[in-house]
């Protein structure tokens, strides 16, 4: 129990309450995922003291890492996603011609809210509700009763192209994209420091296994790149058939989504408030300062580790791996929240992307919806994953 990291030593004497005292981890445990697992167990134990409403220990769903599902469970999950992609759209005919399926409708629901659910106070809770909406849709329309799996990025720091998630077997999410050599790095030069991400191991279309035949139609929405919310570009709504592309990328995990990165995001003494936790998870340079070295953060790192369309802020849910990477972010949020739940059930920020145009500060009395799938709910009803309505799950 000795040999704590410098930053842990630095905050232990500040008189923190018991949950964080468990943060007395060896650096090796932080780096290899043992610390995160321990924090996860503490979070579950704490969550189990908070059951409300219709949620109870018999009903609670356990969201597990994809590779801890049996191959048969993985295949059933993949089949359910393919089923959702084959169910006809529920949107009024003609409204979004690109939307052919219920799966597409869900992508549209995200795209149409892009400017209100990213770099806003609702970011974490919207995506939590969105994941639940997906899990519910898989059950309601395709009879799948499982708990949404997540992708632990830390397990694939050696390269997601080596991961069972992307091995192209029928128990995977399909392969990497076809390798395209000699590509330049991607240059990001938007809100924080400029940086580059080297190309990954794919770049072209997913070529083997599940989703290799997925036809992508919605988008692109070029005006969203500048932060302009509405209306969505008409050109992206009409339907532009193309393949699902990927560019699996270990650099993004090494830099921003390793066990060390996610564990320190949870434990760092400066991240005890939602303002700083969120700003470091996403990241938000208004809070961090423009010269922060954080750059992409675990959220961006998780998207970038998949690459291709999963990097697109509006239509990233097009890639079925999106839901697993966002479940991992929700898991990190869940683990952080339940280290000190009473002080970690609020929100910080406004209603618009980077507060453009200026909007009100959001409180937990404000609501979000994911119509036509999930009704309007107050944020205060979304902060607790075992609150009964609409949530009843923990992560393992
Ligand atoms: C997209 O969002 C806008 C703004 O919230 C809303 O007015 C519009 O009805 C939405 N479009 C669809 C098709 O849901
Ligand atoms: C980033 O953009 C700014 C202004 O838009 C420019 O001055 C700077 O050179 C760019 N940095 C890189 C590394 O491209
Ligand atoms: C993320 O963790 C890796 C080690 O796994 C480290 O090299 C890197 O600096 C960390 N990134 C940040 C932004 O702290
Ligand atoms: C929103 O909150 C910030 C501080 O968190 C404060 O500076 C600002 O004045 C608030 N804006 C409104 C419109 O209340
Ligand atoms: Cu999103």
């Amino acid at each position: 129990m000795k040999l704590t990291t410098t930053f842990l030593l630095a905050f232990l004497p500040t008189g923190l309450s018991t949950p964080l005292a468990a943060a007395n981890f060896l650096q090796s445990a932080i780096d290899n995922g043992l610390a995160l697992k321990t924090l996860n167990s503490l979070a579950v134990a704490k969550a189990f003291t908070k059951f409300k409403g219709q949620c109870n220990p018999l009903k609670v769903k356990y969201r597990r890492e994809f590779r801890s599902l049996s191959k048969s469970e993985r295949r059933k999950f993949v089949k359910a996603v393919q089923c959702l992609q084959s169910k006809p759209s529920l949107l009024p005919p003609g409204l979004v011609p690109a939307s052919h399926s219920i799966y597409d409708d869900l992508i549209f629901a995200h795209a149409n809210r892009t400017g209100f659910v990213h770099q806003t106070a609702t970011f974490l809770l919207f995506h939590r509700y969105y994941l639940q909406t997906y899990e519910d849709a898989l059950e309601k329309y395709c009879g799948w009763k499982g708990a949404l799996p997540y992708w632990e990025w830390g397990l694939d720091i050696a390269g997601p192209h080596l991961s069972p998630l992307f091995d192209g077997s029928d128990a995977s999410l399909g392969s990497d994209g076809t390798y395209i050599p000699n590509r330049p790095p991607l240059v990001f030069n938007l809100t924080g420091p400029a940086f580059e991400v080297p190309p990954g191991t794919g770049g072209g279309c997913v070529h083997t296994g599940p989703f290799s035949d997925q036809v992508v139609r919605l988008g692109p929405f070029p005006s969203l790149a500048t932060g302009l919310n509405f209306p969505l570009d008409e050109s992206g709504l009409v339907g532009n058939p193309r393949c699902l592309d990927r560019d699996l990328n270990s650099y993004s995990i090494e830099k921003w989504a390793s066990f060390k990165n996610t564990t320190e995001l949870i434990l760092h003494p400066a991240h005890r408030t939602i303002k700083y936790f969120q700003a470091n998870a996403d990241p938000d340079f208004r809070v961090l300062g423009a010269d922060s070295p954080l750059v992409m953060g675990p959220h961006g790192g998780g998207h970038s580790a998949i690459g291709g369309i999963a990097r697109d802020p509006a239509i990233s849910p097009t890639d079925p791996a999106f839901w697993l990477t966002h479940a991992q972010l929700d898991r990190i949020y869940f683990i952080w929240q339940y280290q000190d739940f009473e002080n970690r059930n609020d929100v910080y920020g406004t209603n618009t992307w980077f507060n453009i145009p200026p909007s009100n500060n959001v409180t937990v009395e404000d609501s979000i919806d994911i119509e036509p799938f999930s009704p309007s709910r107050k944020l205060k009803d979304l902060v607790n994953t075992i609150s009964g309505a609409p949530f009843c799950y923990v992560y393992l």
Side-chain angles (χ1 to χ4, degrees), residues 157 254-256 258 260-261 293-294:
I157 198 164
E254 283 164 34
K255 289 281 181 188
W256 304 300
S258 69
K260 181 174 193 287
N261 302 150
L294 185 67

Side-chain angles (χ1 to χ4, degrees), residues 146-335:
L148 205 60
Y150 66 88
W151 175 26
E152 170 53 86
W153 308 308
L155 293 173
D156 290 317
I157 198 164
H161 63 296
L162 305 171
S163 171
L165 271 76
F166 300 108
D167 67 11
S169 72
D170 64 356
S172 75
L173 305 176
S175 67
D176 200 350
T178 300
Y179 180 59
I180 300 180
N182 304 318
R183 286 169 295 150
L186 282 168
V187 179
F188 292 81
N189 189 7
L190 297 167
T191 57
F195 64 98
E196 294 186 348
V197 177
T201 45
C205 303
V206 171
H207 55 79
T208 310
F211 312 116
S212 52
D213 55 359
Q214 183 178 336
V215 180
V216 176
R217 294 189 177 86
L218 200 65
F221 297 108
S223 68
L224 286 172
T226 59
L228 185 69
N229 303 318
F230 288 106
L232 285 177
D233 309 69
E234 201 62 39
S235 60
L237 295 176
V238 295
N240 300 302
R242 55 208 192 277
C243 73
L244 175 68
D245 64 331
R246 271 185 192 149
D247 187 23
L248 299 176
N249 185 289
S250 61
Y251 182 89
S252 303
I253 298 182
E254 283 164 34
K255 289 281 181 188
W256 304 300
S258 69
F259 281 123
K260 181 174 193 287
N261 302 150
T262 51
T263 310
E264 292 188 350
L265 171 64
I266 293 165
L267 289 179
H268 198 288
H271 304 172
R272 269 177 267 165
T273 59
I274 184 66
K275 175 178 178 180
Y276 287 97
F277 174 80
Q278 179 177 276
N280 279 276
D282 197 3
D284 185 335
F285 296 97
R286 291 171 297 174
V287 173
L288 300 174
D291 54 355
S292 160
L294 185 67
V295 183
M296 231 186 211
H299 168 238
H303 278 268
S304 182
I306 305 168
I309 202 165
R311 284 198 180 102
D312 186 304
I315 51 174
S316 50
T318 302
D319 190 323
F322 163 93
W323 309 91
L324 285 81
T325 217
H326 255 281
Q328 163 76 346
L329 181 71
D330 186 49
R331 171 175 173 254
I332 300 301
Y333 176 40
F334 161 86
I335 296 172

Side-chain angles (χ1 to χ4, degrees), residues 47 55 95 135 140 147 161 170 201 243 255 297 305 333 336 339 395:
C55 188
L95 191 62
E135 194 182 278
K140 181 168 178 190
H161 63 296
D170 64 356
T201 45
C243 73
K255 289 281 181 188
Y333 176 40
W336 175 81
Q339 302 307 307
Y395 288 96

Side-chain angles (χ1 to χ4, degrees), residues 114-120 191 224-229 286 350-357:
T114 307
F116 304 118
V117 299
H118 300 104
Q119 302 289 344
T120 60
T191 57
L224 286 172
T226 59
L228 185 69
N229 303 318
R286 291 171 297 174
T350 72
N351 250 322
T352 43
W353 188 82
F354 286 108
N355 203 31
I356 306 169

